[in-house]
Amino acid sequence: MINIKNNIDKIKAQIQQACQENVRLTADAGSANIPSPVTLLAVSKTKPAELIEQAHLAGQNDFGENYLQEAIDKITQLAHLPQLTWHFIGPIQSNKTKQIAHNFSWVHSIDRERIALRLNQHLTEDGSHNTPLNVCLQVNISNEASKSGVAIKDVFTLAEIVNNCDKLTLRGLMAVPEKNADKACYQEMQILFAQLKKTYPSVDTLSLGMSSDLEQAIAHGSTMVRIGTAIFGERVKN
């Protein structure tokens, strides 16, 4: 049987250790900058609402979902837990933007102008949403044809579009480096994030790192790591 509380405690200890090492390395390098705290985002795609509720009882409130209809079903089932914060982290189709805008607090996977404008439009039309949607731009940092994400050269153009949307708050960047990506890939994300922070005061989030590269991501400035299997166990294959 999966012990979700133990799994979350282990991941949090791993994050804490990586953060402490990052602080030490930063101090050794003579930098006055203190690394930002790191948020654990539990990736709950394909997992039932019952396991999410167990994770919540263990102190976890941020959950990431990839598949819209599955996510909405779980959001509905867990409506009695208003403390939960839902993050959409999957690819976005244009015909799904309305439901995403109305059901999530965060969207990590904006990669083109059309999606940003549609999310903003839906929230503008629905006057009941007083809180802006927190968004990250997904960067295709490894230039993989099979992955979504804006090209590095287009990040600031897209960032300006999002910043001009009054119902969206630009929070930062998200990326999924290719397996066994080298250090330069993470350095590039770290530099890009720092540049974006200088331009936009609202930017404070670098959503980077999963179970296999958590330490590497935190060492390069990640403020949010996305962990699924290490918390909930292996995904059930259809």
Side-chain angles (χ1 to χ4, degrees), residues 160-231:
E160 182 63 19
I161 290 166
V162 169
N163 190 59
N164 288 331
C165 292
D166 61 345
K167 296 297 184 180
L168 307 181
T169 297
L170 179 63
R171 295 295 297 270
L173 302 173
M174 184 270 267
V176 185
E178 64 183 341
K179 189 176 181 180
N180 300 320
D182 59 20
K183 185 177 178 180
C185 178
Y186 294 87
Q187 289 174 330
E188 196 161 18
M189 279 301 301
Q190 186 175 25
I191 292 169
L192 193 61
F193 178 52
Q195 292 172 337
L196 200 67
K197 284 176 70 175
K198 287 181 179 179
T199 307
Y200 300 103
S202 62
V203 170
D204 59 6
T205 301
L206 177 56
S207 176
L208 179 69
M210 297 183 284
S211 298
S212 61
D213 64 342
L214 182 153
E215 290 87 355
Q216 175 90 298
I218 291 176
H220 289 91
S222 174
T223 68
M224 185 178 289
V225 292
R226 308 180 304 273
I227 309 296
T229 300
I231 294 174

Side-chain angles (χ1 to χ4, degrees), residues 39-52:
T39 298
L40 171 60
L41 177 59
V43 178
S44 46
K45 63 182 180 182
T46 77
K47 300 302 177 180
E50 291 78 7
L51 293 188
I52 295 173

Side-chain angles (χ1 to χ4, degrees), residues 8 32 34 53 55 58 63 74 80 88 111 113 132-133 148 156 178 197 200 204 206 212:
I8 289 175
I34 300 174
E53 187 157 9
F63 294 91
K74 287 185 275 191
H80 61 288
F88 191 80
D111 61 357
E113 176 181 2
L133 181 64
S148 303
F156 280 87
E178 64 183 341
K197 284 176 70 175
Y200 300 103
D204 59 6
L206 177 56
S212 61

